[in-house]
Amino acid sequence: MTLTIYTKPAGCFGCTKTKQKFTEAGVPFREVDVTTNQAAFEYITEDLGYSQVPVVVYDRDGTENHWSGLNPGGIEQIIAIESHGTEA
């Protein structure tokens, strides 16, 4: 399982809440700051087609899921999968 959260450091409520929810649940993630990483910025805008952060990219067993913005349902689904090992 890999979970990557593409963020910006300041003024991003969705970024803060997304990271907080995964941290509280004990689900490890990698944070990438798109304001300092040009390749990451190009990946989320050009490859994935998003224009706002956070962008969450979750890969489990070769199946990738991703979204942009604060997504409580998506966050809870990943937490449930990682906590129980099965889809909620």
Side-chain angles (χ1 to χ4, degrees), residues 8-76:
K8 65 180 184 177
C12 180
F13 175 79
C15 300
T16 302
K17 292 305 285 183
T18 298
K19 294 184 297 182
Q20 178 185 4
K21 291 292 186 183
F22 285 123
T23 299
E24 289 172 353
V27 176
F29 61 87
R30 179 174 70 108
E31 180 178 2
V32 178
D33 180 350
V34 299
T35 66
T36 61
N37 185 324
Q38 185 63 30
F41 178 78
E42 290 172 4
Y43 172 67
I44 67 164
T45 58
E46 295 174 17
D47 293 351
L48 299 182
Y50 295 123
S51 60
Q52 77 176 67
V53 290
V55 172
V56 175
V57 178
Y58 174 66
D59 187 313
R60 182 177 176 97
D61 301 327
T63 300
E64 186 176 270
N65 183 23
H66 50 81
W67 69 78
S68 174
L70 181 58
N71 182 340
I75 293 168
E76 290 304 318

